[in-house]
């Protein structure tokens, strides 16, 4: 499981940072890629990666500000131009209004897609668990921005324990149907009377990963709830230390507030994005340094950077 950042800038694109989008690559887990936000130019950034648009099966939108959604019509249209490739459906999750934005853009521009889009819109009253599959559950909760905006908590379900084949062979279990029985948790008795307890040969289930991806927000308890014990918290850092007042006025957070959220939530790792173009590279290292005084495992991400989870 990886996150690849497609746009890490705030508000408008700069040469170094495009507007918001990131890809949660679940290729090993389910052979899919999930996009979170889709600012203008996201499809151009994708061209610089190994991501195949057809693999993007779900898009999660945090809020309807332009720097988070203006890339949707272009991406959705280009996704259709993949000749020889099977056209697969796509799900879009987001605040009420996202369906109208997408359908209007497609209709006005005369764009016809050869695949279906399933919209899952929500408002303040319909948040909580928004998706459950056999491998993942996704929760959304309202944050505190200038318009309705949510954060997402993606929880991988626990992974089944694996069978220790070498240990079984060493115990004299002949390779064959017995392996299958033991794998299914059944105890067996060998011809020589040896009892084999399945639990001795299956490793304990491994806990699934938790990834928290927040939209734009002031510091709020909802962020902490979404990020509890997360393996990775992706948090905006539109402003730096000392800018708390202006951050509040504009519905955003500072690096210090993001670090406080990570610390309060007991997250393992904090990735800062939504970085203002005002920040030069020396400011970026200062952003990290200051945040690290509150939460040590912090990193300011760049466009196209890939982080393994
Ligand atoms: Zn915004």
């Amino acid at each position: 499981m990886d996150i690849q950042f497609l746009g890490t800038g705030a508000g408008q694109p700069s040469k170094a940072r495009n507007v918001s989008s990131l890809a949660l690559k679940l290729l090993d887990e389910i052979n899919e890629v999930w996009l979170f936000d889709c600012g203008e130019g996201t499809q151009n950034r994708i061209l610089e990666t190994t991501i195949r648009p057809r693999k993007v099966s779900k898009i999660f939108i945090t809020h309807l500000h332009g720097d988070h959604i203006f890339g949707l019509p272009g991406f959705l249209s280009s996704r259709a131009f993949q000749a020889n490739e099977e056209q697969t459906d796509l799900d879009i999750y987001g605040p009420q209004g996202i369906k109208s934005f997408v359908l209007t853009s497609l209709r006005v521009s005369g764009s016809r897609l050869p695949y279906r889009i399933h919209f899952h819109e929500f408002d303040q009253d319909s948040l909580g668990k928004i998706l459950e599959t056999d491998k993942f559950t996704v929760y959304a909760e309202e944050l505190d921005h200038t318009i309705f905006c949510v954060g997402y908590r993606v929880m991988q379900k626990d992974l089944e324990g694996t069978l220790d084949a070498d240990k079984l062979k060493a115990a004299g279990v002949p390779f064959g149907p017995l392996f299958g029985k033991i794998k299914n948790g059944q105890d067996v008795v060998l011809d020589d009377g040896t009892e084999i307890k399945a639990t001795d040969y299956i490793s304990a289930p491994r806990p699934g990963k938790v990834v928290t991806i927040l939209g734009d927000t002031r510091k709020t308890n909802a962020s902490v709830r979404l990020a509890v014990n997360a393996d990775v918290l992706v948090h905006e850092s539109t402003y730096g230390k000392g800018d708390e007042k202006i951050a509040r006025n504009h519905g955003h957070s500072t690096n210090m507030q993001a670090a406080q959220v990570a610390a309060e939530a007991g997250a393992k790792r904090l990735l800062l994005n939504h970085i203002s173009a005002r920040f030069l590279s020396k400011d970026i290292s200062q952003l990290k340094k200051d945040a690290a005084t509150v939460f040590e495992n912090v990193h300011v991400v760049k466009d196209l950077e890939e982080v393994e989870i």
Side-chain angles (χ1 to χ4, degrees), residues 63 65 67-68 145-147 216 252 274:
H63 65 301
H65 276 154
D67 57 321
H68 294 254
H145 190 39
T146 53
I147 60 169
D216 297 0
H252 289 291
H274 208 265

Side-chain angles (χ1 to χ4, degrees), residues 124-141:
Q124 279 93 344
D125 301 323
S126 53
L127 291 172
K129 193 199 296 181
I130 58 157
L131 168 68
E132 180 160 19
T133 70
D134 57 339
K135 300 234 166 101
F136 289 92
T137 313
V138 181
Y139 296 88
E141 199 171 335

Side-chain angles (χ1 to χ4, degrees), residues 147-253:
I147 60 169
F148 177 60
C149 179
V150 304
Y152 293 102
R153 177 180 174 91
V154 180
M155 298 183 72
Q156 183 184 28
K157 294 188 176 170
D158 288 351
L159 301 158
E160 276 178 26
T162 48
L163 193 68
D164 189 337
D166 290 340
K167 194 174 166 189
L168 275 180
K169 271 186 231 155
V173 181
F175 186 76
L178 282 183
F179 269 55
K181 281 188 181 169
I182 296 165
K183 187 164 191 285
N184 290 332
Q186 214 176 311
D187 298 338
V188 298
V189 181
L190 302 183
D191 290 344
D192 66 3
T194 312
E195 286 180 36
I196 300 286
K197 265 191 80 157
T199 48
D200 292 342
Y201 297 88
I202 302 173
S203 61
R206 283 173 295 142
K209 305 279 187 197
V210 177
V211 181
T212 302
I213 298 165
L214 303 185
D216 297 0
T217 188
R218 300 181 180 97
K219 186 168 185 290
T220 165
N221 288 335
S223 302
V224 177
R225 283 195 294 272
L226 286 165
V228 166
N229 296 331
D231 291 277
V232 173
L233 165 62
V234 179
H235 197 301
E236 70 131 294
S237 173
T238 315
Y239 293 94
K241 187 179 180 182
D243 291 334
E244 278 71 23
K245 192 160 173 227
I246 183 168
R248 168 148 294 277
N249 289 341
H250 289 88
H252 289 291
S253 297

